[in-house]
Amino acid sequence: PGPAGVPEGLVNSECVQLGGRDYEVVRCQAWPVPRDKIKDTTGAGDAFIGGVIYGLVTHLPLVHCMLLGARIAAGKLQQPGARAGLARREEVEEFLL
């Protein structure tokens, strides 16, 4: 399994973290959503970015920010429309710890 028990072999996200002259490529696996559970992709990218930004402003490590974004986007994919399926904070609290 990958980070936080996410299975290997899924589409990955990558982010470059800069620090002075150094940089680090941070990779994150997608949160698994079975193909037959995907109802709508509308808003999934925005959900991912929203999760990443939330993680950044709450000072989570970058890989956790990306996993949070992936988790929120996965929930969004399973509901129709742009807002249905977006996780509330209390729904991801366990994941944030």
Side-chain angles (χ1 to χ4, degrees):
V6 178
E8 304 247 4
L10 301 172
V11 176
N12 294 325
S13 298
E14 292 184 349
C15 183
V16 176
Q17 182 173 4
L18 302 175
R21 292 176 178 247
D22 297 327
Y23 70 93
E24 175 184 6
V25 177
V26 178
R27 292 182 175 85
C28 170
Q29 294 178 324
W31 201 269
V33 178
R35 188 175 299 272
D36 64 329
K37 298 286 186 187
I38 297 174
K39 304 296 183 212
D40 191 355
T41 61
T42 303
D46 293 332
F48 175 79
I49 293 300
V52 170
I53 291 171
Y54 179 84
L56 289 171
V57 300
T58 57
H59 309 288
L60 292 175
L62 186 54
V63 70
H64 289 158
C65 296
M66 294 173 65
L67 283 168
L68 177 60
R71 162 63 179 84
I72 293 172
K76 167 57 217 88
L77 288 169
Q78 297 177 63
Q79 297 294 325
R83 294 182 56 185
L86 292 175
R88 301 204 180 275
R89 181 169 176 21
E90 56 272 9
E91 296 171 321
V92 294
E93 263 183 9
E94 177 181 309
F95 175 76
L96 292 173
L97 299 176

